[in-house]
Amino acid sequence: MRLSILTAALLGCVTLAGCASSAGPETVLSIKPSRETTSSVKATGPVPEVAVGQGKVKAEGASEMLAWAGPVPETHAFEAVAEKAVRPTARPEEGAVTAEMPSIGKLGKRSRIYSQQFRDAKPINFGKRAPKHYQVHGVDVSRWQGDIDWVKLRTQGANFAFIKATDGGDHTDPMFRHNWRAAKEAGIRRGAYHFFYWCRVASEQADWFIRNVPKDPDALPPVIDAEYNGESKCKRRLTRAQYVEKIRVFAERLERHYGKRPIIYTAPDFYADNLSGELKEYPFWLRSVAAHPSVRYPNRRWLFWQYSGSGLSHGVSGKIDLNVFVGSENDWHNWLAGQST
């Protein structure tokens, strides 16, 4: 007897790891590609080893090239810059800083904070609350940045780096081990992130991350990258409660192992659909490339803000994602002291 298209689709879903047996037609809907996609997402076509791929995506109503996409900038695009730190012209709101600081411990040895010297291929006018007003800048990277000169990148303002480690339950970023080691050797505070695959059991993904990411007391908290991915083979549309449950299971497992409360990274579309008002006990890292996070994520406290997917810097041959920490230099050192395990 010949099966209908819908019946075949439902039976196919059952075979996917992590699919619920009670899945109905609404769970087999296609998901639009996020307009806030980052370098976490794998590009289509051959995967480069150190070269930068080609492609583009629109972000928040404006055309934006991803950190892993576009032509390699010419070396003359950069000007010589001094390493002397420059104080910002304005400070973030004090209330936001103190409210979002996790419990802090006794101050340890303070590393030097380099002022940011990054350029942006697609500069945005953020107004009075621009990224330049924040004191501690950093980056996030994956294989798409190729072979990074971490020492040079640090002097350009990469005081911290989030490095892609894993996605799903069976994939590791081939540059992770090298980047993990080299970033630390350069004196950069670094953490690892996992790109979540919604068709796989959360605990299996947590175990995969733990298997591949060392337990380093100097590392930043682990990060779960929770967003839509139109390039993924997984087309499941979960309920808000299911998304939240998967994130919580993953986060709790990582916290038990690493002794640090994980950070949740997300984008505006996924956040609006599933995370607004949820998981308030976790620190958030928010992507907002055309406006301050307070515009895209009303009433959500945040710890890190990813403000560009088209950054340019000495030490990297292509584009790179740029980020800021919410507080002052002193807040940064206090927060780091509180992460010691």
Side-chain angles (χ1 to χ4, degrees):
M1 182 175 178
R2 195 171 182 178
L3 295 176
S4 67
I5 295 176
L6 177 59
T7 304
L10 290 172
L11 291 176
C13 180
V14 176
T15 63
L16 292 173
C19 283
S21 60
S22 59
E26 68 277 7
T27 64
V28 197
L29 299 177
S30 295
I31 299 174
K32 288 184 178 180
S34 171
R35 299 193 310 164
E36 287 290 337
T37 307
T38 72
S39 56
S40 306
V41 180
K42 292 173 281 186
T44 56
V47 177
E49 300 211 358
V50 295
V52 179
Q54 297 289 333
K56 65 173 66 178
V57 69
K58 289 185 178 180
E60 296 181 353
S63 177
E64 180 201 1
M65 298 290 286
L66 299 185
W68 48 260
V72 176
E74 299 293 336
T75 55
H76 61 71
F78 305 102
E79 300 172 358
V81 292
E83 292 186 1
K84 185 177 180 180
V86 178
R87 291 286 177 176
T89 57
R91 287 176 57 87
E93 302 91 318
E94 292 297 330
V97 173
T98 55
E100 292 163 47
M101 290 299 103
S103 58
I104 56 179
K106 192 174 181 180
L107 286 176
K109 183 179 180 180
R110 296 191 173 201
S111 58
R112 175 178 176 179
I113 298 297
Y114 286 86
S115 61
Q116 71 87 14
Q117 309 294 341
F118 303 127
R119 303 288 193 271
D120 200 324
K122 299 286 184 178
I124 296 293
N125 182 2
F126 287 94
K128 294 182 178 179
R129 289 185 290 180
K132 66 180 181 180
H133 294 156
Y134 292 84
Q135 297 182 2
V136 184
H137 287 244
V139 299
D140 61 275
V141 304
S142 66
R143 70 184 304 167
W144 304 104
Q145 278 66 55
D147 192 9
I148 298 170
D149 183 337
W150 284 98
V151 173
K152 176 63 70 176
L153 187 60
R154 184 188 179 202
T155 66
Q156 300 304 296
N159 298 291
F160 62 86
F162 288 108
I163 302 170
K164 184 176 182 181
T166 55
D167 60 77
D170 56 7
H171 178 77
T172 58
D173 188 293
M175 292 295 290
F176 172 68
R177 290 183 181 276
H178 171 76
N179 285 335
W180 186 253
R181 180 181 64 255
K184 183 172 184 177
E185 290 174 350
I188 296 174
R189 298 304 296 259
R190 84 284 194 252
Y193 73 88
H194 173 85
F195 192 79
F196 207 90
Y197 182 65
W198 302 110
C199 284
R200 190 142 191 168
V201 176
S203 59
E204 291 180 358
Q205 297 189 62
D207 290 344
W208 180 248
F209 183 90
I210 290 170
R211 177 179 172 182
N212 287 281
V213 178
K215 187 176 181 180
D216 184 346
D218 293 329
L220 301 179
V223 174
I224 172 174
D225 186 336
E227 57 183 307
Y228 294 132
N229 178 7
E231 301 296 330
S232 174
K233 293 180 180 179
C234 176
K235 303 300 181 184
R236 290 189 69 201
R237 171 74 76 170
L238 307 180
T239 65
R240 170 182 277 243
Q242 288 172 324
Y243 281 119
V244 171
E245 180 184 15
K246 279 180 172 287
I247 292 171
R248 193 182 298 279
V249 168
F250 183 91
E252 289 179 351
R253 205 174 188 97
L254 262 59
E255 185 170 1
R256 287 195 298 271
H257 179 78
Y258 294 102
K260 304 172 190 286
R261 177 150 294 184
I263 298 167
I264 299 172
Y265 170 93
T266 194
D269 52 355
F270 188 87
Y271 177 84
D273 291 344
N274 308 296
L275 299 182
S276 58
E278 307 285 357
L279 300 166
K280 293 182 178 180
E281 69 273 32
Y282 289 94
F284 270 70
W285 170 18
L286 303 176
R287 178 170 176 82
S288 186
V289 299
H292 190 270
S294 61
V295 177
R296 303 297 185 197
Y297 307 84
N299 303 314
R300 171 61 70 174
R301 293 175 177 174
W302 55 275
L303 193 62
F304 293 95
W305 167 22
Q306 185 185 75
Y307 65 87
S308 176
S310 55
L312 302 172
S313 176
H314 288 295
V316 182
S317 60
K319 296 184 178 69
I320 190 169
D321 294 335
L322 305 177
N323 304 269
V324 294
F325 172 74
V326 68
S328 66
E329 288 186 24
N330 191 58
D331 293 324
W332 169 251
H333 290 299
N334 286 352
W335 180 73
L336 287 178
Q339 301 307 308
S340 299
T341 58

